[in-house]
């Protein structure tokens, strides 16, 4: 899945706001969480958030969904204070 996502990013000339790409990114993150690969999931979430902020801004629903995913990852890692700060900033 990661390779397909990278190919899509690589060959898309005029990216615009590609909802499918972010949907796939979120699926990858969720799958990594289910596999308890929290470090990889966090890296993918941060990468997705950075791209979403650049394209859709901070008020984008895509950004909010990816931040919510990152909050879940932080909670599962036992980083509750970081998760609380991020969730409060996302509101």
């Amino acid at each position: 899945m990661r390779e397909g996502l990278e190919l899509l990013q690589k060959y898309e000339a005029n990216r615009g706001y590609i909802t499918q790409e972010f949907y796939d990114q979120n699926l990858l993150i969720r799958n990594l969480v289910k596999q308890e690969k929290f470090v990889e999931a966090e890296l993918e979430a941060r990468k997705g958030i950075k791209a979403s902020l650049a394209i859709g801004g901070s008020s984008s629903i895509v950004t909010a969904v990816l931040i919510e995913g990152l909050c879940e990852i932080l909670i599962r890692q036992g980083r509750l204070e970081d998760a609380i700060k991020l969730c409060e900033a996302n509101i």
Side-chain angles (χ1 to χ4, degrees):
M1 182 175 234
R2 186 178 290 126
E3 292 173 5
L5 187 58
E6 287 173 3
L7 281 174
L8 178 63
Q9 291 170 344
K10 190 180 207 179
Y11 293 109
E12 187 67 43
N14 185 9
R15 289 182 56 182
Y17 194 80
I18 304 172
T19 306
Q20 184 64 46
E21 181 179 337
F22 289 111
Y23 177 77
D24 292 344
Q25 182 89 28
N26 194 40
L27 283 179
L28 173 61
I29 293 163
R30 299 288 176 194
N31 283 329
L32 290 169
V33 168
K34 285 180 184 177
Q35 296 172 34
E36 297 184 0
K37 295 181 178 181
F38 301 122
V39 174
E40 283 184 71
E42 181 180 351
L43 292 172
E44 290 295 331
R46 290 184 184 278
K47 187 167 69 171
I49 291 167
K50 184 178 178 181
S52 180
L53 284 170
I55 294 171
S58 61
S59 61
S60 163
I61 186 67
V62 174
T63 302
V65 168
L66 291 170
I67 290 174
E68 183 263 334
L70 179 56
C71 288
E72 179 186 344
I73 294 163
L74 295 175
I75 290 168
R76 288 180 179 237
Q77 289 177 325
R79 296 164 55 191
L80 298 178
E81 290 181 21
D82 293 336
I84 290 169
K85 288 177 189 174
L86 186 59
C87 287
E88 287 175 350
N90 192 35
I91 294 175

